[in-house]
Amino acid sequence: MKSLFDPPSDAADRILELRRQILHHDRLYYVEARPEISDRDYDALLDELIRLEKENPELLTPDSPSQRVGGEPIGTFETVTHSVPMLSLANTYSRQEVEDFDRRVRQGLEGATPSYVCELKYDGVAMSLTYRDGLLVQAATRGDGQTGDDVTANVRTIHAVPLRLDHPTIGTVTVRGEVYMLNETFLEINRQAEARGEKTYANPRNLTAGTLKQKDPKAVARRRLEFVAYWIDTQDADLRSHSGNLELLATMGFPISPATATCSNVDEIMVFLSEWDERRFDLPFQIDGVVIKVDALRQQAELGSVARSPRWAIAYKYEARKAQARLLDITLQVGRTGVVTPVAELQPTLLAGSTISRATLHNEDFVHELDLRIGDMVVIEKGGDVIPKVSGVVAELRPQQAQPWSMPHVCPCDRHSHIHRPDGSAQWFCNDGKCPWQLRRTLEHFASRDAMDIDGLGEKAIEQFIEAGLLTSIADIYRLGDRQDEILRLERWAPKSLQRLLDGIEESKTRPFERVLFALGIRFVGEGVAKILARSFASMDALQGATREHLTSVNEIGHAIAESIIAYMSEEDNREQISSLRRCGLQMESAAGVVTSNEMAGMTFVFTGELTRMTRRQAEEAVEQRGGKASGSVSKKTSFVVAGESAGSKLEKARALGVPVISQEEFLAMITSPGSS
Ligand code: IVH
């Protein structure tokens, strides 16, 4: 049995043994991807090593795996000069461009036949590692290619980066590769950040770059970064080919691209490219393409480089707009007008730089046309960088027991009211006036920026207030002032945020009549229609009393809009709501004194630059009240461009088109001159 006072040599032996074991398991885990022990057992080895080194500080070495937990905070990152510049790659997107590359290579080699190596293009951050006599001494970012930042302390925490090469070398060895993050790690870190109310990152590359810039290596250690090597330079070995270099890197203990192919012509390259275009979704990390390199280093040297890119390699980039995601569920969403829409609930998946977890399925027929089933692997697409849509199903990946989906015939809210699909309509509707979902959407719309713009009353607050029974109608918003104690008992609410909300509510009472009209959320009454209505029926009373004929006699008000207004105004609940909003002090008449006129009829104004004499909305309203139009873009038809301070491209365009440009003062003079009201 050992005594407590074992001579340090025992500790030294044990430390060496622990380091050997940890290194062995690191390699199995990070390089060979076949771990033999559990995370827990691994942690136990590491804990023991850290404890022994603490007790015997003289035995601590810089290459000890214990050093991965991160050292002291860094002040600033020193700039380092790369001994060999770090180049970037020219991008290609088509077979044609790959053929062009191949032709240039063959020309450059004057008839000699090249052999190519294809490997995955990791979407991460390039890193240059320097080893001296086998020990990691420096890690630097690419920077501008000539000089980068010294991030050694941070990179030391990355388990996949050997602190000591697993191969005897003398002198300097430079290894380059990509620091990246697994999708799973990225999603988890974002989930945690979201839960803490902190900012989330768009994609693993941004998070990786942000992590490497951290000043606290301990924080970096917690982020679980990965590394893959793709380049080596050393005097201490006879380097002949890129493929041989990859093998050497693996022997030294570096992870390398799990997929490589040696190709002798464009056809073979294209096979690899299309194979990985499909399979890239199965990878646990993001790639943005494939790198194609001339294999023989002698040929690489012969080809050299142009500007900042080598002539011996190119990147082939994949379209990032499609991804596959598991369909976890199909839920229903209720809009403020009662339309019930099916929504795809997806396993959070990265698509063109953002994490997608939901996508609209439009309507019942859409789901049936694709025969979407819960559990399916679906294709999600982003068109023009907007809302993602589900565009197909991967038939081979359908789980055996997946059942066809059928539209539930009840509202998803807790009242479970029956929903119906009118003849000829693709949509289902919930007609329950007390549906809490509709209420939520109605309130969200009412308080939104373009409607009543109530500061402090966002989606989260609305949800809380509905749940707490503080909001059962729009008018309740204006009674929140009587329920301050209850609000302060809710999570996240403090006197300061409450005051902001109350001020916001008070201020909303000054919004003009047309905004009130829009905010009510009457079907088909958008911002534009609300303006027309407010101009043609100067008050709520007039609008409530309007007949179908009266309504449709207004230019731009068609049948559907008129019907919708009549239906809305004839509902008892709605009339009552309007009365209580009137009592609360909302504007129910077009502002006095700005009686509509036609003096700007047929004219179009564009406001550009920073307006200092009035807000943009005031200016636009002034034009509209005079029968004119305010537009966001300049064309030959524009009557005047009103240029505020530091106006830019619109001003230039106006000048180019010969559109008259006036100042804010000239505009004010126009609207206040005699006879203008
Ligand atoms: S080779 C001179 N191989 O892509 C050639 N680069 O646009 C140096 N990258 O800065 C790069 N995976 O950060 C190479 N297998 C791979 C790569 C790869 C990702 C990155 C690297 C480089 C950028 C070039």
Side-chain angles (χ1 to χ4, degrees), residues 582-593:
R582 191 195 299 271
R583 283 196 299 277
C584 295
L586 269 59
Q587 306 293 319
M588 293 293 169
E589 286 172 12
S590 288

Side-chain angles (χ1 to χ4, degrees), residues 87-89 119-122 125-126 142 178 230 291 293 310 312:
L87 303 176
S88 60
L89 298 171
E119 64 195 40
L120 304 181
K121 185 171 187 308
Y122 283 68
V125 175
R142 178 169 180 277
E178 202 84 348
Y230 50 65
V291 186
K293 302 171 181 175
W312 47 266

Side-chain angles (χ1 to χ4, degrees), residues 85-91 118-127 142 176-179 228-231 242 246 257 259-260 286-293 300 305 308-315 317:
M86 287 181 83
L87 303 176
S88 60
L89 298 171
N91 291 328
C118 295
E119 64 195 40
L120 304 181
K121 185 171 187 308
Y122 283 68
D123 198 7
V125 175
M127 190 61 62
R142 178 169 180 277
R176 288 181 181 162
E178 202 84 348
V179 176
V228 63
Y230 50 65
W231 189 87
H242 177 65
L246 289 179
S257 167
T260 56
Q286 301 280 302
I287 62 169
D288 56 347
V290 164
V291 186
I292 305 157
K293 302 171 181 175
Q300 286 188 5
S305 52
R308 283 147 165 244
S309 312
R311 282 204 196 87
W312 47 266
I314 46 158
K317 297 269 244 176

Side-chain angles (χ1 to χ4, degrees), residues 232-517:
I232 181 168
D233 188 27
T234 171
Q235 303 297 319
D236 194 32
D238 184 17
L239 306 179
R240 290 166 179 274
S241 67
H242 177 65
S243 47
N245 283 0
L246 289 179
E247 274 169 38
L248 175 63
L249 283 165
T251 324
M252 289 179 161
F254 290 96
I256 55 171
S257 167
T260 56
T262 309
C263 304
S264 54
N265 56 47
V266 175
D267 280 340
E268 287 175 21
I269 293 174
M270 291 318 288
V271 170
F272 185 85
L273 294 181
S274 45
E275 179 189 344
W276 283 97
D277 197 2
E278 294 293 323
R279 289 184 59 191
R280 67 193 155 122
F281 301 113
D282 303 334
L283 291 168
F285 48 84
Q286 301 280 302
I287 62 169
D288 56 347
V290 164
V291 186
I292 305 157
K293 302 171 181 175
V294 169
D295 193 23
L297 301 186
R298 205 171 20 80
Q299 292 183 341
Q300 286 188 5
E302 216 172 301
L303 290 161
S305 52
V306 264
R308 283 147 165 244
S309 312
R311 282 204 196 87
W312 47 266
I314 46 158
Y316 180 90
K317 297 269 244 176
Y318 289 128
E319 276 293 337
R321 307 213 164 277
K322 273 192 195 179
Q324 292 180 7
R326 189 66 72 180
L327 179 64
L328 300 178
D329 200 359
I330 298 178
T331 57
L332 298 183
Q333 182 168 293
V334 189
R336 76 187 141 84
T337 53
V339 176
V340 183
T341 318
V343 174
E345 304 288 344
L346 304 163
Q347 177 90 49
T349 301
L350 280 156
L351 172 59
S354 48
T355 311
I356 310 298
S357 51
R358 304 186 88 207
T360 176
L361 295 171
H362 311 291
N363 55 50
E364 181 184 16
D365 296 346
F366 179 84
V367 181
H368 291 316
E369 272 154 30
L370 289 180
D371 183 24
L372 288 187
R373 302 181 182 198
I374 291 163
D376 270 345
M377 187 62 96
V378 297
V379 179
I380 50 175
E381 271 183 49
K382 250 190 195 176
D385 252 5
V386 273
I387 307 158
K389 59 176 191 182
V390 172
S391 63
V393 181
V394 187
E396 315 86 76
L397 296 177
R398 165 165 290 167
Q400 271 179 0
Q401 71 291 2
Q403 296 298 318
W405 181 77
S406 56
M407 179 93 185
H409 292 189
V410 289
C411 183
C413 76
D414 51 14
R415 293 167 57 84
H416 306 301
S417 334
H418 273 272
I419 58 176
H420 65 100
R421 179 175 171 176
D423 282 346
S425 167
Q427 302 290 7
W428 284 78
F429 289 90
C430 170
N431 276 353
D432 181 355
K434 297 209 164 60
C435 169
W437 280 56
Q438 285 178 55
L439 176 66
R440 194 164 139 189
R441 303 275 173 260
T442 302
L443 294 170
E444 281 169 8
H445 170 72
F446 186 85
S448 68
R449 178 93 81 71
D450 294 329
M452 301 300 274
D453 192 12
I454 305 180
D455 198 18
L457 194 59
E459 286 179 20
K460 183 88 199 146
I462 291 173
E463 187 185 336
Q464 271 183 312
F465 293 167
I466 292 181
E467 236 163 59
L470 294 168
L471 289 179
T472 59
S473 69
I474 293 178
D476 279 350
I477 293 175
Y478 295 92
R479 301 186 192 110
L480 286 173
D482 303 334
R483 313 197 59 174
Q484 302 189 25
D485 291 346
E486 285 159 87
I487 296 176
L488 286 173
R489 279 199 291 272
L490 297 175
E491 207 180 312
R492 284 184 337 115
W493 287 93
K496 210 167 146 192
S497 50
L498 176 59
Q499 194 52 50
R500 180 176 145 218
L501 170 68
L502 296 176
D503 292 346
I505 293 173
E506 203 49 39
E507 202 193 309
S508 75
K509 295 181 184 171
T510 63
R511 308 276 178 257
F513 174 47
E514 62 188 45
R515 302 261 298 264
V516 177
L517 212 41

Side-chain angles (χ1 to χ4, degrees), residues 2-126:
K2 293 197 172 196
S3 96
L4 275 176
F5 301 101
D6 276 341
S9 73
D10 266 14
D13 286 349
R14 180 66 185 152
I15 284 176
L16 285 183
E17 172 59 16
L18 285 166
R19 286 183 190 157
R20 196 193 58 75
Q21 285 192 24
I22 291 170
L23 226 59
H24 170 70
H25 292 298
D26 271 347
R27 194 182 169 101
L28 286 175
Y29 189 95
Y30 290 100
V31 183
E32 299 178 25
R34 48 177 193 96
E36 276 174 1
I37 60 170
S38 68
D39 288 359
R40 204 196 170 107
D41 290 345
Y42 177 91
D43 288 344
L45 294 176
L46 194 60
D47 287 346
E48 187 186 349
L49 176 65
I50 292 170
R51 182 176 54 79
L52 285 176
E53 286 177 345
K54 216 176 237 160
E55 290 166 8
N56 305 279
E58 70 283 3
L59 296 176
L60 185 63
T61 57
D63 65 334
S64 170
S66 63
Q67 297 310 292
R68 305 246 192 235
V69 292
E72 291 308 302
I74 308 157
T76 49
F77 298 114
E78 303 287 325
T79 303
V80 291
T81 304
H82 300 300
S83 53
V84 179
M86 287 181 83
L87 303 176
S88 60
L89 298 171
N91 291 328
T92 58
Y93 300 89
S94 63
R95 181 185 174 112
Q96 180 62 53
E97 288 174 293
V98 177
E99 280 174 1
D100 293 346
F101 164 70
D102 177 52
R103 191 162 9 83
R104 286 194 307 272
V105 166
R106 285 172 198 273
Q107 278 166 1
L109 295 179
E110 291 171 353
T113 9
S115 169
Y116 296 106
V117 175
C118 295
E119 64 195 40
L120 304 181
K121 185 171 187 308
Y122 283 68
D123 198 7
V125 175

Side-chain angles (χ1 to χ4, degrees), residues 495-552:
K496 210 167 146 192
S497 50
L498 176 59
Q499 194 52 50
R500 180 176 145 218
L501 170 68
L502 296 176
D503 292 346
I505 293 173
E506 203 49 39
E507 202 193 309
S508 75
K509 295 181 184 171
T510 63
R511 308 276 178 257
F513 174 47
E514 62 188 45
R515 302 261 298 264
V516 177
L517 212 41
F518 169 58
L520 289 176
I522 305 169
R523 199 155 180 236
F524 302 133
V525 180
E527 257 182 300
V529 172
K531 275 184 189 166
I532 295 167
L533 290 172
R535 218 182 295 145
S536 317
F537 303 86
S539 69
M540 188 63 92
D541 287 340
L543 190 60
Q544 282 180 319
T547 60
R548 258 180 208 83
E549 294 67 41
H550 198 167
L551 282 163
T552 47

